[in-house]
Amino acid sequence: MQIAEIAVVVALLSGAFFVFVGSIGLLRLDTPMKRLHAPTKAGTLGVGSFLLASMIHSFATGEGSLHELLVMAFIFVTAPISANFIAKVNLHREDTDPTPPPPADRTWATFDTDERTEKLVVK
């Protein structure tokens, strides 16, 4: 077995480990903020390890490709940003009152409907 094959196996196993830990964390953790942490961190490292294994394999077989590097960079940039947005939404939802029930009249948002003519009147 060559060194490149060993490196591919190590990268695949570490990626599988991180994805497995992230999946367990997603299932076992109780709050949305904790659940957000497990798949974003472990999933990013797991997918990064898979892509690293693919990149090592492509270079070892003589068909070098840097596509995986670009995908890995995209994931490492976008995963924390999306996790940050999801966390902000969760924080805002905890601070706000529950949504009130819709009114019984025909008013919706900033538009009033004239019941006689059924035309929208902008306030």
Side-chain angles (χ1 to χ4, degrees), residues 25-100:
L26 182 65
L27 293 174
R28 299 283 299 178
L29 296 176
D30 53 351
T31 64
M33 294 298 279
K34 290 178 185 175
R35 282 186 175 176
L36 176 68
H37 185 72
T40 54
K41 302 297 184 272
T44 301
L45 290 175
V47 171
S49 295
F50 289 147
L51 291 170
L52 181 65
S54 174
M55 200 164 51
I56 291 171
H57 179 70
S58 68
F59 278 108
T61 57
E63 302 170 0
S65 174
L66 292 178
H67 294 131
E68 293 88 355
L69 186 65
L70 293 174
V71 172
M72 196 181 322
F74 182 75
I75 287 174
F76 280 127
V77 169
T78 58
I81 293 171
S82 61
N84 188 17
F85 283 135
I86 293 170
K88 280 185 176 182
V89 167
N90 184 40
L91 288 175
H92 287 291
R93 285 182 137 193
E94 288 179 352
D95 289 340
T96 59
D97 295 332
T99 306

Side-chain angles (χ1 to χ4, degrees), residues 1-10 56-62:
M1 186 178 274
Q2 296 179 354
I3 292 177
E5 292 174 347
I6 294 172
V8 168
V9 169
V10 169
I56 291 171
H57 179 70
S58 68
F59 278 108
T61 57

Side-chain angles (χ1 to χ4, degrees), residues 99-112 115 123:
T99 306
D105 60 357
R106 298 184 58 93
T107 304
W108 182 78
T110 58
F111 295 105
D112 283 339
E115 294 180 11
K123 285 185 175 179

